[in-house]
Amino acid sequence: MNKFLPVAIALCVATTVAAKNEVYTTPDTGTIYTFADLAKIEGTGVTQIDANTFSIVNDIDVKAKDGIELTNGMTLKMGKDVLIRLYGSKSRLTPDTATIVPIDGQQPKGFHLTDIDNNMAIKHVRFEGAGIKIGGSYGVTVENCTFFEHNDKIGHAAIDFVGSSINNIVRNCHFIRTTCAAIASGSNIAAGVIIEDNLMEDCSTGNRNYPVINETPAGANGPVIIRRNKIYGGKRTRPGAVSMSNMMSMIGDHKIFIEDNYMDNSRYGINVLGNYMDIRITGNTVLDCHYETNAMNGGSGLTVNSTSEEHATRVYIEGNRFEGCLWGVTIIGKTLANIGHITDVKETDADYNPGRNVFKNNGNCGTTPEGAETAFDPSNPYDLYNNTALTLYAQGNTWGCEKQTAEEIEKRIFHSADDSKLGQVIFMPAGSGASGIANIDADNNAVPVLYVQPNGISSTTPVKGLNIVRMSDGTTRKVIINQ
């Protein structure tokens, strides 16, 4: 097997462009303004076009005691670089429906929620071009909103967390053709957030190194939870689907859950970089992440890279599907990874992991050959690359070969057998392919005679989940039934 080392690093740095528009500042007297109210005040830059349509050409600073209201059914047309800054948490941004659109193709910035002193919500708003920047110690819920062709003027994400905070939620939102990321946080920002049930279609159209979801761990500000999202990639060579990075090595007990997401047609699926993290990656489907032209630069279904031996990131990987990627899973540096551990542990042990990951059709030829578009080459298979000096358990999984034997699986794994400086991968017992039943023991000629489930019920046929198998020679084995 040829040897390549993939590296995929996603950067996110919060930036602000100086405003050029005139600025109207509210008087800070405790008033909640509608845009109809603002249209009656000289100097606001707000014009009422009809009963529910308004245009705005100036920036507006809404002071902490004041607020604005998005009224039901309204349309707000924003001019070039227009930014509405909301200081404090008095604004009402939860209409039945509202639409934010640019004036004649101009590129507005959007809304900056800053100095938030209480929980806030933005719901049922369609943003075209414009985005949201969020900063403050309290959380913001963004729910049932649409972000269409975000233009990157307010920042490199349609929803950009620029302040450390707790209890943020992005739920049931639709992101379509954003220029850069859909959701991101700055590299030094600890914003606890739940990102769930969102749909991202063809995002990061600028084809730069901005993954669709680009998050930083939050430590004491709570976990980062990314679950049940659908990310449909645009088959581009630069952006990945999900990145979790602690590049600033923020100290803390960083909990991250990446679970039950679907992602396809991106440069990479999930990229984890940095130390101090405790991550569970479960139930994800990662397909066709093979658009990198140089496999040395990425293209993994999952990459985890931790550099600190003392503060190494721990990652638990179970029940995922990695198919059609340059690399299935790549573990780098000092990372403590558990991709399946079912022997010599009890089901109640912290190290127990039934595996149940499925690998299929992963591989690469290093660099794109002449006449090809990418380095994707499943005839040179890479399901798992253990680029650490540590022993890695990867049991109970189904690998990208028809026969789940040690000899065939070995061809798809790169570890100590290929380079003595690397750690060993312990991959047997493995899954049995289509049936999803783990191989009992590749070197044992005994046959299973009884399957016992954890609840004590026994039968002569297996049941989905964990079974304790009694063999014809009197020994027992643990078996994971995937289907």
Side-chain angles (χ1 to χ4, degrees), residues 96-167:
D96 291 342
T97 59
T99 304
I100 314 295
V101 298
I103 296 175
D104 299 329
Q106 299 178 35
Q107 293 189 322
K109 292 181 179 177
F111 288 72
H112 184 181
L113 283 59
T114 187
D115 297 339
I116 298 170
D117 55 8
N118 209 334
N119 294 330
M120 292 186 67
I122 302 175
K123 298 183 180 182
H124 311 126
V125 181
R126 178 181 174 88
F127 293 84
E128 297 189 9
I132 303 172
K133 186 177 288 188
I134 298 173
S137 57
Y138 283 79
V140 173
T141 295
V142 184
E143 191 169 17
N144 294 312
C145 291
T146 296
F147 297 85
F148 179 76
E149 295 186 349
H150 175 252
N151 59 33
D152 198 26
K153 290 295 182 179
I154 196 173
H156 295 313
I159 300 176
D160 196 357
F161 292 98
V162 296
S164 296
S165 55
I166 61 173
N167 298 327

XYZ file of all heavy atoms in Angstrom, residues 96-167:
544
model
N -44.351 36.505 12.068
C -44.874 35.308 11.403
C -44.071 35.025 10.149
O -43.697 33.880 9.883
C -46.350 35.510 11.041
C -47.243 35.544 12.271
O -46.800 35.088 13.341
O -48.382 36.026 12.154
N -43.802 36.063 9.370
C -42.903 35.999 8.216
C -42.334 37.395 7.997
O -42.990 38.399 8.272
C -43.611 35.568 6.909
O -44.663 36.506 6.613
C -44.179 34.172 7.018
N -41.116 37.449 7.498
C -40.505 38.719 7.098
C -39.389 38.397 6.119
O -38.811 37.305 6.149
C -39.970 39.494 8.297
N -39.075 39.358 5.241
C -38.064 39.134 4.217
C -37.090 40.301 4.188
O -37.505 41.464 4.203
C -38.710 38.983 2.825
O -39.668 37.928 2.863
C -37.662 38.664 1.772
N -35.803 39.973 4.167
C -34.735 40.967 4.041
C -34.108 40.769 2.664
O -33.589 39.679 2.368
C -33.657 40.803 5.126
C -34.286 40.622 6.514
C -32.672 41.963 5.088
C -35.056 41.801 7.010
N -34.156 41.788 1.813
C -33.622 41.653 0.455
C -32.738 42.856 0.136
O -32.863 43.917 0.750
C -34.758 41.553 -0.589
C -35.621 40.326 -0.342
C -35.603 42.815 -0.589
N -31.836 42.720 -0.827
C -31.013 43.869 -1.239
C -31.790 44.811 -2.152
O -32.745 44.418 -2.819
C -29.857 43.205 -1.988
C -30.409 41.916 -2.479
C -31.428 41.481 -1.492
N -31.351 46.054 -2.172
C -31.895 47.029 -3.113
C -31.167 46.877 -4.444
O -29.950 47.050 -4.518
C -31.723 48.473 -2.591
C -32.542 48.684 -1.312
C -32.139 49.486 -3.661
C -32.328 50.041 -0.678
N -31.899 46.497 -5.475
C -31.359 46.471 -6.844
C -29.999 45.770 -6.939
O -29.056 46.291 -7.540
C -31.246 47.900 -7.391
C -32.594 48.596 -7.467
O -33.605 47.896 -7.683
O -32.629 49.826 -7.296
N -29.890 44.608 -6.319
C -28.669 43.834 -6.449
C -27.501 44.326 -5.623
O -26.386 43.790 -5.727
N -27.694 45.367 -4.800
C -26.624 45.834 -3.917
C -26.360 44.777 -2.830
O -27.155 43.870 -2.630
C -27.001 47.182 -3.295
C -27.212 48.281 -4.326
C -27.635 49.585 -3.688
O -27.209 49.929 -2.588
N -28.491 50.332 -4.381
N -25.245 44.934 -2.125
C -24.859 43.927 -1.145
C -24.886 44.506 0.272
O -23.931 45.155 0.712
C -23.472 43.380 -1.469
C -23.445 42.582 -2.765
C -22.140 41.861 -2.962
O -21.070 42.367 -2.644
N -22.199 40.648 -3.490
N -25.966 44.279 0.998
C -26.037 44.733 2.395
C -25.246 43.816 3.315
O -24.859 42.704 2.925
C -27.527 44.653 2.698
C -28.013 43.529 1.832
C -27.189 43.607 0.560
N -25.018 44.289 4.529
C -24.377 43.449 5.538
C -25.410 42.648 6.323
O -25.335 41.419 6.364
C -23.526 44.314 6.471
C -22.315 44.924 5.777
C -21.491 45.763 6.736
C -20.264 46.346 6.031
N -19.474 47.238 6.915
N -26.359 43.335 6.977
C -27.371 42.614 7.729
C -27.491 43.111 9.146
O -27.475 44.320 9.397
N -27.577 42.183 10.115
C -27.837 42.514 11.515
C -26.660 42.061 12.385
O -26.197 40.931 12.271
C -29.109 41.818 12.007
C -30.378 42.377 11.445
C -30.739 42.159 10.125
C -31.229 43.133 12.235
C -31.908 42.667 9.598
C -32.406 43.652 11.727
C -32.750 43.416 10.398
N -26.220 42.952 13.249
C -25.190 42.609 14.229
C -25.803 42.736 15.611
O -26.131 43.835 16.070
C -23.989 43.545 14.091
C -22.851 43.197 15.000
N -21.686 43.924 15.058
C -22.679 42.183 15.897
C -20.861 43.389 15.941
N -21.453 42.337 16.463
N -25.977 41.595 16.290
C -26.503 41.574 17.655
C -25.310 41.602 18.597
O -24.534 40.644 18.664
C -27.336 40.314 17.891
C -28.747 40.275 17.313
C -28.754 40.446 15.805
C -29.445 38.970 17.695
N -25.160 42.694 19.328
C -23.967 42.861 20.157
C -24.346 43.278 21.572
O -25.432 43.827 21.802
C -23.018 43.892 19.522
O -21.788 43.933 20.249
C -23.624 45.281 19.479
N -23.458 43.029 22.505
C -23.708 43.344 23.922
C -25.033 42.753 24.401
O -25.786 43.387 25.144
C -23.697 44.853 24.159
C -22.354 45.482 23.866
O -21.348 44.744 23.878
O -22.295 46.700 23.608
N -25.311 41.545 23.976
C -26.573 40.908 24.342
C -26.600 40.651 25.847
O -25.702 40.024 26.393
C -26.738 39.585 23.569
C -26.786 39.869 22.064
C -27.991 38.850 24.006
C -26.714 38.620 21.226
N -27.643 41.144 26.511
C -27.732 41.015 27.968
C -28.894 40.136 28.407
O -29.230 40.077 29.580
C -27.836 42.398 28.620
C -28.997 43.227 28.077
O -29.810 42.680 27.306
O -29.078 44.410 28.424
N -29.508 39.442 27.445
C -30.564 38.480 27.755
C -30.760 37.588 26.530
O -30.311 37.923 25.436
C -31.876 39.194 28.102
C -32.731 38.378 29.051
O -32.635 37.153 29.096
N -33.576 39.059 29.818
N -31.410 36.473 26.723
C -31.627 35.579 25.591
C -32.499 36.251 24.539
O -33.443 36.975 24.860
C -32.273 34.275 26.040
C -31.356 33.471 26.939
O -30.134 33.543 26.819
N -31.932 32.701 27.844
N -32.189 35.975 23.255
C -32.930 36.554 22.145
C -33.296 35.473 21.142
O -32.747 34.361 21.189
C -32.095 37.635 21.442
C -31.839 38.878 22.252
S -30.991 40.136 21.252
C -32.278 40.555 20.052
N -34.191 35.827 20.219
C -34.578 34.895 19.165
C -34.807 35.637 17.857
O -35.265 36.782 17.845
C -35.842 34.136 19.558
N -34.456 34.961 16.757
C -34.782 35.422 15.412
C -35.482 34.267 14.724
O -34.916 33.178 14.585
C -33.520 35.816 14.620
C -32.738 36.900 15.358
C -33.886 36.294 13.215
C -31.422 37.252 14.695
N -36.730 34.497 14.285
C -37.513 33.409 13.718
C -38.278 33.870 12.489
O -38.699 35.029 12.394
C -38.500 32.855 14.758
C -37.841 32.265 15.994
C -38.879 31.665 16.950
C -38.213 31.063 18.184
N -39.195 30.434 19.102
N -38.444 32.948 11.540
C -39.320 33.124 10.372
C -38.895 34.279 9.483
O -39.735 34.968 8.904
C -40.779 33.332 10.821
C -41.258 32.331 11.820
N -41.804 32.679 13.032
C -41.228 30.969 11.808
C -42.123 31.591 13.703
N -41.776 30.533 12.985
N -37.593 34.500 9.350
C -37.088 35.580 8.508
C -36.293 34.981 7.351
O -35.474 34.084 7.555
C -36.198 36.547 9.314
C -35.706 37.691 8.430
C -36.957 37.102 10.521
N -36.523 35.491 6.162
C -35.742 35.102 4.989
C -34.723 36.198 4.711
O -35.086 37.362 4.479
C -36.635 34.901 3.773
C -35.866 34.543 2.488
C -36.800 34.385 1.301
N -36.064 34.184 0.054
C -35.672 33.005 -0.417
N -35.962 31.906 0.267
N -35.013 32.910 -1.560
N -33.454 35.848 4.773
C -32.366 36.779 4.500
C -31.821 36.493 3.106
O -31.362 35.382 2.830
C -31.236 36.608 5.525
C -31.594 36.998 6.933
C -32.234 36.096 7.777
C -31.293 38.270 7.410
C -32.551 36.452 9.076
C -31.607 38.630 8.715
C -32.245 37.721 9.549
N -31.845 37.468 2.235
C -31.251 37.331 0.910
C -30.025 38.237 0.840
O -30.136 39.460 0.924
C -32.258 37.688 -0.179
C -33.454 36.749 -0.204
C -34.354 36.963 -1.405
O -33.964 37.730 -2.317
O -35.445 36.363 -1.440
N -28.861 37.640 0.744
C -27.611 38.402 0.743
C -27.119 38.728 2.135
O -25.969 38.472 2.483
N -27.959 39.278 2.967
C -27.578 39.717 4.306
C -27.382 38.531 5.246
O -27.863 37.418 4.997
C -28.633 40.658 4.874
N -26.669 38.789 6.357
C -26.430 37.760 7.352
C -26.608 38.286 8.755
O -27.067 39.417 8.966
N -26.202 37.462 9.729
C -26.324 37.799 11.147
C -24.985 37.586 11.823
O -24.361 36.537 11.680
C -27.377 36.918 11.856
C -28.741 37.031 11.179
C -27.489 37.303 13.322
C -29.738 36.028 11.731
N -24.562 38.588 12.591
C -23.383 38.462 13.446
C -23.872 38.522 14.891
O -24.650 39.411 15.252
C -22.391 39.584 13.145
C -21.074 39.471 13.881
C -20.120 40.580 13.456
C -19.595 40.334 12.053
N -18.520 41.308 11.705
N -23.395 37.590 15.731
C -23.917 37.445 17.087
C -22.784 37.567 18.096
O -21.798 36.832 18.031
C -24.627 36.096 17.261
C -25.835 36.010 16.313
C -25.065 35.887 18.701
C -26.493 34.642 16.293
N -22.930 38.502 19.041
C -21.932 38.677 20.092
C -22.587 39.073 21.397
O -23.490 39.908 21.427
N -22.149 38.498 22.475
C -22.714 38.794 23.782
C -22.693 37.569 24.648
O -22.503 36.447 24.166
N -22.878 37.726 25.929
C -22.731 36.607 26.855
C -23.959 35.716 26.916
O -23.885 34.604 27.449
C -22.402 37.128 28.254
O -23.396 38.035 28.701
N -25.099 36.186 26.389
C -26.313 35.378 26.397
C -26.549 34.740 25.033
O -25.979 35.161 24.028
C -27.524 36.230 26.801
C -27.599 36.503 28.286
C -26.802 37.480 28.866
C -28.443 35.760 29.108
C -26.854 37.724 30.228
C -28.507 36.003 30.471
C -27.702 36.984 31.025
O -27.761 37.212 32.378
N -27.415 33.760 25.007
C -27.621 32.996 23.791
C -28.667 33.591 22.870
O -29.567 34.324 23.281
N -28.545 33.235 21.585
C -29.511 33.621 20.570
C -30.031 32.353 19.895
O -29.247 31.469 19.539
C -28.886 34.563 19.524
C -29.859 34.830 18.381
C -28.455 35.875 20.176
N -31.335 32.279 19.717
C -31.955 31.196 18.966
C -32.321 31.701 17.587
O -33.056 32.682 17.460
C -33.215 30.676 19.676
O -32.859 30.093 20.925
C -33.926 29.628 18.832
N -31.788 31.062 16.561
C -32.167 31.371 15.179
C -32.915 30.153 14.657
O -32.346 29.064 14.549
C -30.932 31.670 14.308
C -31.368 32.078 12.903
C -30.072 32.767 14.937
N -34.188 30.341 14.325
C -35.037 29.189 14.034
C -35.953 29.478 12.855
O -36.499 30.574 12.721
C -35.864 28.841 15.276
C -36.594 27.532 15.214
C -37.170 27.124 16.561
O -37.285 27.983 17.453
O -37.511 25.934 16.722
N -36.105 28.480 11.983
C -37.006 28.575 10.841
C -36.717 29.782 9.967
O -37.632 30.448 9.465
C -38.467 28.595 11.311
C -38.894 27.293 11.960
O -38.658 26.217 11.428
N -39.485 27.386 13.137
N -35.434 30.059 9.770
C -35.016 31.154 8.902
C -34.357 30.594 7.643
O -33.890 29.452 7.628
C -34.034 32.079 9.622
S -34.790 33.033 10.974
N -34.318 31.415 6.596
C -33.650 31.051 5.352
C -32.558 32.063 5.060
O -32.769 33.281 5.215
C -34.646 31.021 4.183
O -35.612 29.999 4.418
C -33.941 30.742 2.862
N -31.397 31.573 4.641
C -30.277 32.427 4.251
C -29.929 32.088 2.811
O -29.377 31.023 2.527
C -29.096 32.212 5.187
C -29.392 32.601 6.609
C -30.014 31.694 7.466
C -29.093 33.871 7.074
C -30.308 32.052 8.775
C -29.384 34.236 8.386
C -30.000 33.324 9.236
N -30.290 32.991 1.906
C -30.141 32.750 0.479
C -29.002 33.594 -0.081
O -29.010 34.821 0.023
C -31.459 33.086 -0.233
C -31.414 32.905 -1.722
C -31.455 31.647 -2.286
C -31.329 34.011 -2.558
C -31.419 31.484 -3.661
C -31.295 33.858 -3.933
C -31.338 32.589 -4.490
N -28.009 32.942 -0.620
C -26.875 33.602 -1.268
C -26.260 34.695 -0.389
O -26.088 35.846 -0.801
C -27.293 34.152 -2.633
C -27.664 33.033 -3.610
C -27.955 33.503 -5.018
O -28.075 34.725 -5.245
O -28.060 32.624 -5.920
N -25.933 34.291 0.845
C -25.224 35.206 1.748
C -23.974 35.730 1.067
O -23.199 34.975 0.475
C -24.849 34.477 3.040
C -24.017 35.302 3.963
N -22.680 35.043 4.172
C -24.315 36.387 4.701
C -22.195 35.932 5.026
N -23.163 36.751 5.359
N -23.735 37.055 1.185
C -22.740 37.705 0.322
C -21.373 37.938 0.962
O -20.492 38.502 0.323
C -23.290 39.048 -0.180
C -23.629 39.994 0.974
O -22.978 39.999 2.016
N -24.665 40.792 0.798
N -21.198 37.567 2.232
C -19.879 37.662 2.865
C -19.504 39.076 3.284
O -18.362 39.335 3.650
C -18.808 37.092 1.920
C -17.503 36.750 2.633
O -17.552 36.480 3.841
O -16.449 36.757 1.987
N -20.433 40.044 3.242
C -20.092 41.417 3.629
C -20.025 41.597 5.142
O -19.204 42.361 5.650
C -21.115 42.399 3.042
C -21.036 42.551 1.531
C -19.721 43.176 1.130
C -19.636 43.392 -0.365
N -18.367 44.026 -0.782
N -20.875 40.919 5.888
C -20.877 41.068 7.346
C -19.854 40.146 8.006
O -19.441 40.344 9.141
C -22.287 40.804 7.914
C -22.410 41.342 9.351
C -22.639 39.339 7.852
C -23.813 41.269 9.911
N -19.420 39.130 7.306
C -18.464 38.155 7.832
C -18.468 36.925 6.957
O -19.206 36.836 5.972
N -17.637 35.950 7.323
C -17.462 34.775 6.481
C -18.455 33.674 6.781
O -18.180 32.494 6.504
C -16.034 34.256 6.620
C -14.997 35.215 6.113
N -15.106 35.840 4.898
C -13.837 35.659 6.665
C -14.060 36.634 4.707
N -13.286 36.545 5.767
N -19.613 34.015 7.335
C -20.666 33.029 7.571
C -22.000 33.744 7.606
O -22.100 34.899 8.035
C -20.431 32.286 8.887
N -23.036 33.064 7.169
C -24.377 33.642 7.222
C -24.791 33.897 8.673
O -25.431 34.899 8.981
C -25.374 32.719 6.530
N -24.425 32.971 9.570
C -24.570 33.177 11.011
C -23.183 33.072 11.606
O -22.556 32.013 11.562
C -25.509 32.159 11.662
C -26.914 32.250 11.057
C -25.568 32.364 13.173
C -27.880 31.203 11.593
N -22.694 34.168 12.153
C -21.300 34.248 12.605
C -21.269 34.597 14.092
O -21.699 35.689 14.492
C -20.581 35.330 11.790
C -19.067 35.230 11.906
O -18.590 34.367 12.654
O -18.373 36.022 11.248
N -20.784 33.662 14.916
C -20.669 33.926 16.357
C -19.340 34.632 16.626
O -18.265 34.071 16.404
C -20.741 32.619 17.154
C -22.093 31.970 17.095
C -22.343 30.934 16.207
C -23.124 32.402 17.915
C -23.588 30.334 16.132
C -24.379 31.816 17.856
C -24.613 30.774 16.961
N -19.415 35.861 17.116
C -18.209 36.664 17.362
C -18.068 37.037 18.831
O -17.213 37.858 19.178
C -18.220 37.936 16.484
C -18.153 37.566 15.014
C -19.443 38.806 16.776
N -18.861 36.422 19.697
C -18.747 36.648 21.130
C -18.964 35.357 21.885
O -19.807 34.534 21.505
N -18.202 35.149 22.947
C -18.359 33.941 23.757
C -19.685 34.002 24.504
O -20.041 35.024 25.085
C -17.190 33.824 24.738
O -15.974 33.658 24.031
N -20.412 32.899 24.494
C -21.764 32.924 25.040
C -22.244 31.503 25.284
O -21.592 30.527 24.904
C -22.715 33.636 24.070
O -22.651 33.037 22.790
N -23.420 31.387 25.895
C -24.017 30.088 26.188
C -25.411 30.025 25.569
O -26.008 31.039 25.221
C -24.108 29.835 27.705
C -24.999 30.895 28.380
C -22.735 29.839 28.349
C -25.269 30.625 29.850
N -25.902 28.812 25.415
C -27.300 28.557 25.051
C -27.697 29.080 23.674
O -28.843 29.493 23.455
C -28.250 29.148 26.112
C -28.055 28.530 27.480
O -27.723 27.350 27.589
N -28.237 29.315 28.527
